[in-house]
Amino acid sequence: MAAARILEPHLDALTILEQARRSGCEVDLASMGAGSESSWGVFAAEGAGVRLEAQMVGSRWHLSGTKPWCSLAQQVTHALVTAWVGDERRLFAVEMQRPEVAPRSGPWHARGLDQIVSAPVDFADAPAVPVGEPGWYLRRPGFAAGGIGVAACWWGGVLPLRSALLDAARRPGADQLSRVHLGNADMALWGARLALRTAAKEMDGSAALRYPGTLAGRARAIVASAVESTLADTARALGPLPLVADEGHARRVADLQIYLRQHHGERDVARIGADIAEGCGTW
């Protein structure tokens, strides 16, 4: 799970840069020492009480302010970061190993994904290179696909819990309840797999997909619900023993509980409902 959480933003950044190139935007990565050996993060979250702003100083853009929820900011060499330009957000590439960029070490007291610190970063007039026009990051066709990719990581991360339920249901003397919990998890994850496959097919099959955000929101919500219910069935079926006696199982559960919070629960579901009410995303 930790490996997926590390690799996913790096691959997402490379995809975004390629999409920018294909859209006709040339990003001057050489000016910040970015190359094939670079490691990338993507920092696009917003938080109450903090704001990152971009201003043109002379002929170059500079970032000042604080960006929250920056995973592995102390380790990556470069990052794609959204910053405010007036009332609109714009994406920038920035070199992270500079004196003008100061990743914080916390607060990060997580029991899950504890080695992947997601803390604020302070920027003090840090030079940056724009990637796309203002608003391009959120409007680009690949934005929704990236969200589905995260959901696929959730789904893959929970499969070992289904295996644990399967082992429990096969033990001598296993009762009907152990099979009920296995059946619940199997149905939920099977449905989530169908949702991911359908979403991927629709994303790949139509360059003119009308409502990619609604499609991605549905897939993410279905997968998140399946993972949540599988965590619950696993806890009921297996009890506390693997949480205290099996390091791999306990870490997997803790990692999933943190990673899954990238889904915003009812707020994301409400957004789907709003899309449907406005006539978007009809079947």
Side-chain angles (χ1 to χ4, degrees):
M1 181 60 63
R5 185 66 187 88
I6 292 169
L7 290 174
E8 180 268 319
H10 174 78
L11 297 176
D12 191 31
L14 297 182
T15 299
I16 293 167
L17 290 169
E18 176 61 18
Q19 290 170 352
R21 187 190 66 80
R22 290 182 180 180
S23 69
C25 172
E26 292 298 328
V27 183
D28 184 13
L29 297 179
S31 66
M32 62 179 60
S36 59
E37 300 300 316
S38 298
S39 55
W40 289 87
V42 180
F43 308 146
E46 300 293 335
V50 294
R51 183 179 173 94
L52 182 64
E53 295 186 340
Q55 291 185 330
M56 180 72 80
V57 179
S59 61
R60 193 165 191 182
W61 287 93
H62 287 72
L63 306 182
S64 294
T66 300
K67 195 68 174 173
W69 299 108
C70 300
S71 299
L72 295 171
Q74 292 182 322
Q75 282 76 39
V76 297
T77 63
H78 297 81
L80 297 180
V81 184
T82 56
W84 291 95
V85 180
D87 295 328
E88 196 164 18
R89 281 190 288 174
R90 188 173 188 178
L91 188 66
F92 294 86
V94 63
E95 184 181 355
M96 295 298 293
Q97 309 295 326
R98 293 184 61 93
E100 302 93 339
V101 181
R104 301 184 196 176
S105 59
W108 190 251
H109 307 295
R111 297 299 178 265
L113 298 176
D114 57 331
Q115 69 275 55
I116 304 175
V117 176
S118 296
V121 175
D122 299 312
F123 294 82
D125 204 27
V129 174
V131 180
E133 296 300 317
W136 174 81
Y137 172 72
L138 296 175
R139 293 194 303 264
R140 63 188 173 89
F143 180 78
I148 296 172
V150 174
C153 292
W154 301 337
W155 185 83
V158 82
L159 292 183
L161 299 188
R162 179 189 177 278
S163 297
L165 290 170
L166 177 60
D167 290 342
R170 285 175 169 171
R171 288 179 191 141
D175 61 13
Q176 285 293 88
L177 283 179
S178 66
R179 291 162 185 161
V180 168
H181 290 303
L182 172 61
N184 284 339
D186 180 78
M187 289 185 294
L189 296 177
W190 184 74
R193 184 183 69 165
L194 289 180
L196 288 169
R197 291 177 61 136
T198 299
K201 184 177 180 180
E202 292 193 27
M203 285 284 182
D204 291 341
S206 175
L209 185 64
R210 292 184 65 192
Y211 305 113
T214 305
L215 175 64
R218 285 170 173 159
R220 284 170 62 91
I222 289 169
V223 174
S225 178
V227 174
E228 293 271 22
S229 66
T230 300
L231 283 165
D233 274 298
T234 302
R236 294 189 182 100
L238 305 183
L241 183 61
L243 293 173
V244 299
D246 185 334
E247 167 65 19
H249 179 92
R251 178 168 293 279
R252 188 171 297 113
V253 169
D255 287 352
L256 275 169
Q257 289 173 333
I258 295 294
Y259 202 175
L260 197 60
R261 294 284 61 80
Q262 287 192 10
H263 184 257
H264 303 111
E266 286 76 7
R267 288 184 177 85
D268 285 351
V269 174
R271 190 172 296 114
I272 296 171
D275 287 348
I276 296 168
E278 293 170 4
C280 304
T282 54
W283 295 353

